[in-house]
Amino acid sequence: MTPRFAQRMAGVQPSAIGELLALGADPSIISFGGGYPDATLFPKDQLDAVFHAVITAPGGAALQYAPSNGLPRLREQIAGLMRADGTPCSADDVLILQGSQQGLDLAARMLVDPGDVIVTEDPTFLGALIAFAPSQPHYATVPVDGEGMQTDLLVEVLRANPKARMIYTVPDFQNPTGVTLSLARRRALIALANAHDLIVLEDTPYRHIRFAGDSLPTLKSLDTEGRVIHLGSFSKVLVPALRIGWAVAAPDLLARLGCLKVAADTQTSTLNMAAASLFLDRYDLAAHIETLRAAYRQKKATMLGAIRQHFPQEIGVTDPEGGLFTWATFPEGFDATAFMRDVALPQARVAYVPGATFFPVTQRPNHARLNFSAPSEADIHTGIQALGRALKAEFSA
C-alpha cells in the first residue's frame, strides 16, 4: 500500500540532525547536543514524595480526568509565579499545556494558513520550526546580534511582508544563540506588533535560568493590546518528564487555544499536574532554581574558558547571561555538519548540534550550538579539549 498523505506532510520531514544526534547517544561520546538540564540536580526525593502522596490520596482524584484547561490549583500557582515575575495574571489567564512545545503547535494551527508568513529570529529554535511545519508557513527572518532580534531591521521585514501573521521570539537566552532581547528592543517589538496588527508568540523556557545581569520584563507584561501569547514551562526548572507548560494570553486567544488542545489530547496528565502542584505547595521552587543558576553559571564559565584555551582563535562564541547554550561561529566556508559527521563524532568522540537548520530560510553551515548544562565539568573539559584538537588540525590542514 502507498498511503496518500495530506499536503501538510510535505513540510514534515525527519531531520538529518536527529540521525547525527542518535549517534551521539553512544555513552563513549561526550555530547554537547541536547538541550537537557543537569539530571544530577533533579529533586528526585521531593518528586518521589509528591507522586506517592497524590497517588495514594483518598478518592483517587489524581488518577481521574481533569478540566481540559488544567487543574485549578495549578493554574492559580502559575498565575502567582507570573505575577511574581512582574506579569499581571490570574488563573483564568492560564492554559496548562503538554509542555510549551504544544503551545507552539497550537498557536500555529490557530493563526497560520498555508502560505502565511511567520516572522522569526535568524537563527531560531529548531523545535519551533518543526512545530510550525504542518501549518505550511513561509518565513521572514530578522538577524540577531548581542541584544537579540534587530528590531530596526524588523521594521523593514514587516513592511515587505504584509501577509505576516505572527512574530515568534525567544527573548531570554535565545535558543540557539543564548542572546537576550534588550529592553529597548522589547518595547520596539511590541510597538511594531501593535502597528502591524500581529500576534507575538513569546517562548520563555529558559527565562528563570539567569545567572548574570538584571532580569528584563516579559513581553507579555509590556503588552498593551492583548496580542502576546506567553509560553512558559517547568521542563528546565523542575524536570522535563513532567511535560507541563502553560500559555498566558487574552481571553479570546486562550479560548481558541483551549479548543485546539481538547482536540489534540483532551488534557494534560492529571497525575503530573497534581504532582507539580503539590511540589509547589510543599517545596521552595525559587531555592531550587538558585541551585540551578549556580551550577549552570559555573558550567558556562568552564566551557567558555576551555573554548578560549583550546579552540582556534578564528572561532567565536556567545557569552550568555543565562540559559543552557553557547553559539559557535566558524569561518565562512566551514561546514559544521560535515565536520561533526566526519571528524567530531568518529575521531574526537564529541557531539554538538550543527547550526544550519536553525536558519528558516537561508541555512548557514558555519555555526553550531553547544550545551553546557547537561555534561559534567570533567566532560566539558575533556570534550572541548578533544574538539579543539580536531578543529586545529582541520584549520591547519
Side-chain angles (χ1 to χ4, degrees):
M1 183 187 77
T2 303
R4 181 182 176 185
F5 295 111
Q7 290 182 1
R8 71 180 64 89
M9 292 304 295
V12 182
Q13 301 291 336
S15 168
I17 302 304
E19 297 174 11
L20 289 174
L21 290 178
L23 296 173
D26 182 333
S28 70
I29 289 174
I30 294 173
S31 179
F32 303 128
Y36 294 177
D38 185 342
T40 67
L41 299 177
F42 292 159
K44 297 175 184 177
D45 291 343
Q46 294 95 324
L47 288 169
D48 178 60
V50 296
F51 270 102
H52 177 77
V54 298
I55 288 172
T56 59
L63 306 178
Q64 193 49 279
Y65 287 109
S68 59
N69 62 348
L71 291 177
R73 174 59 183 154
L74 181 59
R75 289 167 46 229
E76 290 174 2
Q77 291 166 309
I78 289 170
L81 293 174
M82 294 293 297
R83 291 193 300 272
D85 192 29
T87 303
C89 187
S90 73
D92 290 339
D93 301 319
V94 177
L95 172 67
I96 305 297
L97 301 170
Q98 195 82 258
S100 59
Q101 180 75 13
Q102 185 179 45
L104 302 175
D105 171 55
L106 299 183
R109 285 198 279 154
M110 177 177 69
L111 295 168
V112 179
D113 289 319
D116 284 341
V117 172
I118 300 175
V119 178
T120 74
E121 292 142 340
D122 197 33
T124 192
F125 174 41
L126 179 57
L129 300 179
I130 293 170
F132 299 157
S135 297
Q136 301 173 277
H138 295 308
Y139 292 101
T141 60
V142 184
V144 300
D145 60 17
E147 295 183 43
M149 181 187 288
Q150 297 182 45
T151 49
D152 57 335
L153 300 180
L154 176 61
V155 175
E156 301 171 14
V157 168
L158 295 179
R159 187 179 299 124
N161 291 275
K163 291 187 68 176
R165 297 299 303 274
M166 73 175 181
I167 303 171
Y168 170 69
T169 179
V170 184
D172 301 291
F173 324 122
Q174 193 239 19
N175 185 350
T177 65
V179 301
T180 294
L181 189 66
S182 68
L183 178 57
R185 291 186 182 180
R186 289 172 193 242
R187 290 174 171 152
L189 190 154
I190 294 296
L192 287 167
N194 290 345
H196 290 267
D197 193 23
L198 292 171
I199 297 297
V200 177
L201 187 58
E202 177 186 27
D203 195 7
T204 68
Y206 321 103
R207 175 171 172 79
H208 297 286
I209 309 297
R210 172 178 284 278
F211 37 74
D214 297 324
S215 182
L216 297 174
T218 64
L219 293 174
K220 185 61 184 169
S221 71
L222 302 174
D223 183 14
T224 58
E225 297 185 2
R227 62 179 64 254
V228 175
I229 301 171
H230 175 101
L231 300 180
S233 175
F234 285 135
S235 290
K236 302 303 188 290
V237 298
L238 197 46
V239 291
L242 284 174
R243 304 311 305 140
I244 292 181
W246 58 89
V248 173
D252 56 339
L253 294 172
L254 204 69
R256 287 168 173 78
L257 288 172
C259 290
L260 289 170
K261 178 172 173 60
V262 170
D265 66 3
T266 306
Q267 62 158 99
T268 299
S269 162
T270 310
L271 180 60
N272 288 359
M273 287 192 290
S277 179
L278 187 56
F279 183 96
L280 294 174
D281 275 335
R282 283 189 177 181
Y283 304 109
D284 189 343
L285 179 64
H288 177 63
I289 291 172
E290 284 301 323
T291 299
L292 301 180
R293 287 171 172 166
Y296 297 163
R297 180 187 299 113
Q298 180 59 41
K299 287 188 173 190
K300 184 205 75 167
T302 298
M303 177 171 278
L304 294 191
I307 286 172
R308 285 190 290 269
Q309 181 178 356
H310 297 294
F311 275 23
Q313 292 185 350
E314 302 96 312
I315 300 170
V317 292
T318 57
D319 185 358
E321 294 185 329
L324 311 183
F325 311 109
T326 185
W327 178 247
T329 299
F330 303 92
E332 291 291 338
F334 182 84
D335 188 331
T337 302
F339 182 80
M340 179 166 150
R341 180 188 64 234
D342 299 336
V343 180
L345 279 170
Q347 297 179 27
R349 311 300 287 169
V350 173
Y352 52 79
V353 181
T357 55
F358 290 95
F359 294 91
V361 178
T362 303
Q363 295 192 346
R364 296 175 175 84
N366 63 316
H367 297 274
R369 192 191 74 181
L370 302 173
N371 167 264
F372 51 76
S373 58
S376 67
E377 287 192 63
D379 279 351
I380 291 172
H381 278 294
T382 301
I384 294 296
Q385 185 175 13
L387 189 57
R389 282 197 300 267
L391 287 165
K392 286 179 178 177
E394 181 79 9
F395 284 14
S396 63

